[in-house]
Amino acid sequence: MKIKRLRIGVFLMAVFGGLQLLSAQKAPQFGKASIDKLIEGMTPEEKAILLVGPGMPGYAGLVPLEGEPDVRVLGQAGGNDKIDRLGIPETVFADGPAGLRIQPKRQNNPNTFYATAFPVGTSLASTWNIDLIKSVGKAMGEEVKEYGVDVLLAPALNIHRNPLNGRNFEYYSEDPLVAGKIASAYIQGIQSNNVGTSIKHFAANNQETNRLAVNAHITERAMREIYLRGFEIAIKESEPWTVMTAYNKINGNYASASNDLLTTILREEWGYKGLVMTDWFGGYPGFESILEEGSVSDVVAQINAGNDLLMPGTEAQREVLAKAIEDGTINEAAVNASLRRILEYLQKTPTTNKYKYSNKPDLKAHAEVARKAAAEGMVLLKNDNNALPFTKKSETIAVFGDHSYSFIAGGTGSGDVNEAYSISLLEGLNNAGYTVDKELQDLYEPFVAKAVENENKRREAVGLLADNKRLPEMLLNTDLVASKAKSSAIAVITLGRNSGEQFDRKIDDDFYLGQDEVKLINTVSKAFHAEGKKVVVILNIGGVIETASWKDKVDAILLAWQPGQEGGNSVADVFSGVVNPSGKLTMTFPIDYNHHASAANWLGVPVEKPTDVYYKEGIYVGYRYFNTFDVEISYSFGYGKSYTSFEYGDIKLNQTTFNDQIEVSVKVTNTGNMEGKEVVQVYVSAPANLVDKPLEELKAFGKTKTLKPGKSETLKFILKAKDLASFVDEQSAWIAEKGTYTVKVGASSEDIKAKKEFLILSDITAEKVNNTFDLDVEMSTLKN
Ligand code: BGC
C-alpha cells in the first residue's frame, strides 16, 4: 500500500502569492500584537494552516520517508504549523504514555536520542501512589523538555470496559476515580517542567477494532459516571495544556465533532480553558479514507463543536476549511475561539519561550525512577507459605518461559518507547547476585532468539497492520525438568503478553493461556513439587489474563506488568525482598472472560467490522458489576498481598449526619515483620431510591508511607456531596440521595476491614448539569 505524503505542497503554493502581497503590509507579530489583532490580521488560508496540522513530516514509522525530513525532533508525532509572516512558531508533539517516543538516531549525527521506557499505565496505576506518579511525570517531562518537545501526547486514561482492549496497558483502571487521580498526578508531574500534556482519548475509546468509525451507544449516566468521570477529575485538578479527542462516535457523533462533549461538558461545565486536538486523522471514517485523494473529515462540524486543532492535518482539510471560512459557512466565533486557544497554547510553550534544550536529559536518574515505580506497581497475587521473598543467593534458580529471557518492557504502537536498553528477568536476577541454571539458559536463549526472529519476519511481511502474536513456549523434556527440580532450589516461570494499537486481544491463546503454557506450568510444577520445591510465576503482561484455572498449581504469582526498561531489576528487587510489594489491582481478574458484563456486547455488530457497539451493561463496569451481582472472581479490584501484614483500626467519622463534607479517618498498623506500605481504599454504599446503584463504589484511596514493623499511620479522607452523588438522568443532576450511607474501609473491594454509617437528611443536588448524549437508538441497560 502506498501512502501519500501529507506535507502541504500545492496548497501552500496556491496561497503563496496572496501571502506575499499581505507581507508587504505590516503584519501583526505573534508575541507582540494582541491575540485579537493577530486573528484579525490572518487570511482564511492562514487560519486553516493554524487549525490544521502539517501532516507527519518527522514521523518515521508510519509514513515512509526518503532520506531524513526537515523536522526538529525526528520521530515526533506532529505539531502545529508555523506561519512566518505572523511570526507564529511551529511546536512539537510526541507520544506517549510510557515515556517520550522519538527516533533515537539521526543521520549524520553521532549523538543518540534515547528516552526512558517507564512502566506502562496499568503498572503505574497499580502503585496507587500519587507522589510516586508525580515523580515519574517529572522525570518524563524533563525528557520532553530537554529533547525540544512541547507537548507529550499522554496520559491515556480510557476505562477498562473489557479486559480485551488492546490498549488497556496504556490505560489505568476499570474505575474512574483511580484513573482520574493517577492521570492528574502524572499531568502535574510532567507540566511542572513547563511542557504540556494531552489527556486522551476523550472519550469512550474503549476498543481498537474499527476504532476510527465505531459508534458507541452509551447512556448519559454511564458517560458521566464511568467514561467521563476520570477525565473530569484529572482535568479539573491538573489543567492539562491539551485534550485529545477520541476516534469513535458516541451516540451518532464523532467525539471530535461532539458539541455535548467538547463545548457543553468540557468547557461550559468543567471550565476547561486549554486546547483540544483530534486524535491522528480523527473524524476520517477509516484507514482507507485517509489514503483516498481529497477525502476529508467533517472539519466544519469538528471546529464548530470545539475541536480546535485537526491532527496531524491534511492538505484536503486545509482547503475545505479555508473555503468554509471564506464563504462564511463555518461559525466565525467557533473559528476565532479555536484560533485563540491555539495562540494561547503557543504563548506558554518552551519553543516560544526560546528554551535552549540540551538533548541531554538525565537518563541515569530517570532509570532509577522507572525501576522504583515498576517495583511499586507489582502486585503479589499469591504467596503460599512465604515462597517469596527468595533470599538464598547461593542456590540455583531454574528459570523457565520465553519471556524470562525476552522480557517485555512495554506495549506496541504509539505507546512504545525507544529506550537505550531493557533489562530482562535473567539480567535482573544476575545483577542481584542470584545463580541461574546455565543449561536452561543455554537451551532457552537460542530458542527465544529464533522465535523472536520468526515473529519479526511475520510482522514485516504483514506490514503496518501487523498484530501481536505471543511467542510459542519451548516443549520441555520431562526428565530434564525433573533433574532441574533436583539441582535447583526454586523454579521461576515467566508468562508474557503483548498488545498495542489497532488490535484488540483475543480470548483464546491470549486472555486464556495456550496449551503450551499450560503444559509448561504443569510439567514444572509437578517436578518441583515432587522435590518439595516451590514454583513462582511472573506475569509480564499489559492487561488481564485468566488465572483461576492454574493458580492452584503454583506457589506464588507476581504480576510484574510491562515494567519498563529496568523491569528485570525491578522484579529482582521484589523477588529478593529489597522491595516489599505494595501494588494492588486497579481492575478485576475474573474467573471466566464471559463473566464480564461487557462481554455480551464487546466490539459490537456486525462481527466482521463492527459499526455499532452497545454499552448495555450501563454503569456496571468491573467490580461495580462483580460485587453487585455477586459474581465470583479470581482476584478482586483493589487486591494485592504484601510480605508483611496490616491491621486496620476502627473508622472514625467527624460527624454522623452529613453537612457539606465528611471526614473519614482510619489507623493502619504494620503488624508483620517487614517494613512496607499499604493501599487503603474507601468504598461507600449509598441509598438507591432515585436510581439503582452498585453495591459499593470507591470514593477515596490513599497509601501509607513506609511503615516499620509495629508502626502506624492514620489516613484521612474527605468526602463531598459530589463524591457521594450519582447522576440522575431525569433531573440532569448529580444527586446525593437522602438516607443511610455505609463507609467501608478495605484492603480490597472484597476485603472490607471496617464499616461505619452516616446519614443524609434530605436529597442534595451536588450539581445541576445539561442534558447531553441523547441515545440515537432504543437501548435498555442492566439494572440492579
Ligand atoms: C493514537 C494516539 C497517538 C497518535 C499520535 C494515534 O494513532 O491513537 O494515542 O497519540 O496516534 O501518534
Side-chain angles (χ1 to χ4, degrees):
M1 190 174 354
K2 192 168 176 338
I3 299 175
K4 69 182 173 184
R5 290 285 293 269
L6 298 163
R7 202 71 170 123
I8 298 298
V10 184
F11 175 64
L12 265 189
M13 279 164 60
V15 297
F16 189 61
L19 295 186
Q20 266 193 331
L21 252 180
L22 278 171
S23 60
Q25 302 157 13
K26 199 130 186 63
Q29 290 301 299
F30 175 74
K32 295 203 181 88
S34 69
I35 287 185
D36 286 337
K37 282 270 174 280
L38 269 169
I39 296 174
E40 224 171 80
M42 282 181 178
T43 65
E45 289 78 12
E46 285 171 335
K47 288 180 181 173
I49 289 172
L50 205 55
L51 297 168
V52 180
M56 302 166 76
Y59 195 89
L62 184 63
V63 183
L65 298 154
E66 307 104 40
E68 197 166 280
D70 175 24
V71 286
R72 201 163 77 201
V73 184
L74 191 67
Q76 69 187 60
N80 73 291
D81 215 348
K82 61 180 177 177
I83 304 176
D84 288 339
R85 187 183 78 88
L86 305 170
I88 294 176
E90 66 173 315
T91 62
V92 176
F93 309 158
D95 283 309
L100 180 67
R101 174 174 159 80
I102 57 174
Q103 286 298 314
K105 291 194 174 145
R106 298 178 191 169
Q107 273 174 30
N108 308 321
N109 189 333
N111 299 315
T112 55
F113 305 82
Y114 288 108
T116 304
F118 291 91
V120 299
T122 42
S123 164
L124 289 179
S126 300
T127 67
W128 300 65
N129 185 338
I130 299 299
D131 291 337
L132 181 103
I133 303 298
K134 279 187 192 160
S135 71
V136 169
K138 192 164 184 292
M140 212 185 276
E142 203 238 336
E143 297 185 16
V144 174
K145 187 173 187 174
E146 292 307 329
Y147 279 133
V149 173
D150 296 279
V151 174
L152 185 75
L153 301 172
L157 72 148
N158 294 100
I159 291 294
H160 293 186
R161 174 182 176 233
N162 182 285
L164 300 184
N165 182 349
R167 290 183 87 175
N168 274 353
F169 73 92
E170 295 184 57
Y171 306 149
Y172 300 131
S173 177
E174 65 189 22
D175 179 83
L177 179 74
V178 176
K181 291 284 178 188
I182 299 291
S184 164
Y186 179 104
I187 293 165
Q188 288 175 41
I190 290 183
Q191 292 193 171
S192 67
N193 294 283
N194 297 320
V195 294
T197 54
S198 193
I199 191 170
K200 70 189 186 184
H201 311 88
F202 190 55
N205 184 175
N206 303 310
Q207 68 187 60
E208 288 300 290
T209 306
N210 201 19
R211 62 179 178 162
L212 283 160
V214 73
N215 186 8
H217 304 278
I218 313 176
T219 62
E220 179 172 7
R221 181 172 176 205
M223 280 302 291
R224 289 196 180 262
E225 289 189 11
I226 308 291
Y227 299 106
L228 293 178
R229 186 77 181 120
F231 284 99
E232 179 179 3
I233 292 167
I235 287 170
K236 284 181 175 170
E237 279 186 10
S238 65
E239 298 180 13
W241 285 14
T242 81
V243 169
M244 185 191 293
T245 47
Y247 283 127
N248 50 284
K249 293 178 188 162
I250 305 163
N251 299 343
N253 295 314
Y254 278 107
S256 62
S258 168
N259 199 70
D260 280 353
L261 186 67
L262 306 181
T263 297
T264 310
I265 293 182
L266 178 66
R267 296 221 167 83
E268 292 172 8
E269 291 181 10
W270 299 353
Y272 180 63
K273 300 270 184 288
L275 164 69
V276 175
M277 67 174 86
T278 61
D279 196 347
W280 269 226
F281 306 104
Y284 279 84
F287 199 65
E288 304 73 28
S289 81
I290 302 166
L291 308 176
E292 222 173 84
E293 201 58 47
S295 70
V296 74
S297 63
D298 191 346
V299 292
V300 171
Q302 289 174 308
I303 299 286
N304 280 345
N307 195 119
D308 308 312
L309 178 60
L310 307 180
M311 288 305 296
T314 67
E315 193 171 339
Q317 285 178 318
R318 284 186 172 176
E319 282 169 16
V320 172
L321 194 56
K323 189 156 184 319
I325 294 171
E326 195 132 35
D327 300 349
T329 50
I330 187 168
N331 179 347
E332 195 189 347
V335 170
N336 289 348
S338 289
L339 290 168
R340 167 177 298 281
R341 286 189 287 255
I342 295 171
L343 291 164
E344 281 171 355
Y345 148 75
L346 284 171
Q347 282 174 339
K348 37 185 191 194
T349 57
T351 296
T352 297
N353 296 317
K354 308 227 163 6
Y355 180 70
K356 291 209 171 16
Y357 52 95
S358 63
N359 276 328
K360 299 227 168 337
D362 193 346
L363 295 179
K364 220 165 161 214
H366 300 170
E368 272 309 303
V369 176
R371 176 172 180 167
K372 198 171 149 215
E376 191 155 336
M378 289 183 194
V379 185
L380 185 63
L381 294 176
K382 175 170 183 175
N383 196 22
D384 282 2
N385 302 316
N386 299 326
L388 292 177
F390 181 78
T391 49
K392 299 175 197 145
K393 296 212 168 151
S394 58
E395 296 184 16
T396 307
I397 306 177
V399 178
F400 298 93
D402 297 349
H403 290 288
S404 294
Y405 300 87
S406 170
F407 214 56
I408 305 168
T412 60
S414 59
D416 194 8
V417 180
N418 295 310
E419 66 270 29
Y421 65 87
S422 172
I423 304 286
S424 73
L425 178 72
L426 185 83
E427 289 168 309
L429 292 174
N430 282 332
N431 292 346
Y434 283 103
T435 319
V436 166
D437 185 90
K438 188 78 176 67
E439 192 184 358
L440 280 176
Q441 182 180 344
D442 289 345
L443 277 173
Y444 265 106
E445 280 179 341
F447 176 85
V448 171
K450 188 80 199 148
V452 170
E453 190 191 313
N454 289 345
E455 171 60 4
N456 288 344
K457 272 197 199 139
R458 183 193 68 84
R459 288 180 69 102
E460 241 164 64
V462 180
L464 208 57
L465 296 180
D467 61 347
N468 287 285
K469 291 245 184 309
R470 69 173 183 84
L471 305 179
E473 287 296 343
M474 186 160 77
L475 196 61
L476 291 164
N477 175 308
T478 43
D479 292 341
L480 172 82
V481 180
S483 83
K484 293 303 156 194
K486 283 199 168 51
S487 61
S488 345
I490 193 167
V492 169
I493 304 172
T494 303
L495 299 179
R497 289 287 181 279
N498 211 353
S499 68
E501 246 177 280
Q502 300 192 57
F503 296 95
D504 292 303
R505 293 174 50 213
K506 305 272 184 304
I507 298 177
D508 292 331
D509 211 16
D510 191 344
F511 178 79
Y512 290 101
L513 301 195
Q515 280 314 305
D516 51 339
E517 294 173 311
V518 173
K519 208 162 183 172
L520 171 66
I521 292 176
N522 288 346
T523 311
V524 173
S525 298
K526 205 167 153 215
F528 276 73
H529 287 162
E531 295 295 328
K533 309 222 170 120
K534 291 181 178 137
V535 178
V536 176
V537 168
I538 310 285
L539 296 179
N540 182 202
I541 59 183
V544 174
I545 64 166
E546 185 270 332
T547 50
S549 68
W550 56 269
K551 65 182 179 186
D552 292 341
K553 297 177 187 172
V554 301
D555 303 278
I557 306 173
L558 179 65
L559 171 54
W561 295 117
Q562 292 168 345
Q565 69 181 44
E566 285 286 326
N569 287 334
S570 306
V571 174
D573 288 341
V574 174
F575 188 83
S576 62
V578 167
V579 172
N580 187 349
S582 64
K584 293 200 179 181
L585 296 178
T586 61
M587 75 298 284
T588 310
F589 274 53
I591 291 182
D592 186 304
Y593 165 72
N594 287 305
H595 290 179
H596 255 278
S598 62
N601 294 289
W602 172 237
L603 296 181
V605 288
V607 178
E608 316 77 63
K609 188 173 186 184
T611 52
D612 293 86
V613 56
Y614 300 91
Y615 285 39
K616 291 192 186 172
E617 68 282 359
I619 57 162
Y620 293 102
V621 176
Y623 72 91
R624 283 172 169 75
Y625 173 72
F626 293 107
N627 292 9
T628 311
F629 292 84
D630 206 14
V631 179
E632 215 186 313
I633 42 84
S634 184
Y635 294 112
S636 66
F637 175 83
Y639 171 85
K641 294 176 83 70
S642 166
Y643 296 151
T644 187
S645 54
F646 295 96
E647 198 176 274
Y648 287 61
D650 276 348
I651 299 177
K652 289 208 174 73
L653 300 180
N654 69 338
Q655 50 194 223
T656 47
T657 304
F658 185 85
N659 196 354
D660 63 342
Q661 62 177 45
I662 198 158
E663 190 188 278
V664 179
S665 58
V666 66
K667 188 171 164 188
V668 177
T669 307
N670 182 347
T671 50
N673 302 320
M674 200 169 167
E675 64 173 36
K677 301 178 192 173
E678 171 74 337
V679 174
V680 178
Q681 300 153 47
V682 180
Y683 296 87
V684 171
S685 297
N689 298 314
L690 286 176
V691 284
D692 66 312
K693 289 179 192 167
L695 189 63
E696 64 244 323
E697 293 179 278
L698 184 77
K699 296 299 179 184
F701 64 86
K703 193 164 194 174
T704 65
K705 53 182 192 292
T706 303
L707 295 177
K708 295 233 181 295
K711 292 287 175 213
S712 310
E713 184 179 341
T714 298
L715 281 86
K716 289 195 165 89
F717 309 93
I718 300 283
L719 300 177
K720 299 195 169 163
K722 174 92 181 260
D723 302 323
L724 301 171
S726 297
F727 181 72
V728 179
D729 203 7
E730 291 70 35
Q731 302 189 36
S732 284
W734 288 87
I735 294 177
E737 285 190 51
K738 66 173 182 232
T740 304
Y741 288 71
T742 310
V743 179
K744 305 170 172 178
V745 173
S748 84
S749 65
E750 280 208 322
D751 186 10
I752 300 300
K753 304 285 192 185
K755 295 184 191 180
K756 197 144 245 171
E757 291 182 348
F758 69 88
L759 204 63
I760 291 188
L761 291 176
S762 54
D763 289 354
I764 302 172
T765 301
E767 195 182 350
K768 186 92 185 123
V769 295
N770 300 282
N771 176 27
T772 54
F773 294 114
D774 285 337
L775 281 170
D776 55 341
V777 288
E778 290 254 323
M779 182 178 79
S780 59
T781 52
L782 185 62
K783 296 269 172 317
N784 171 14

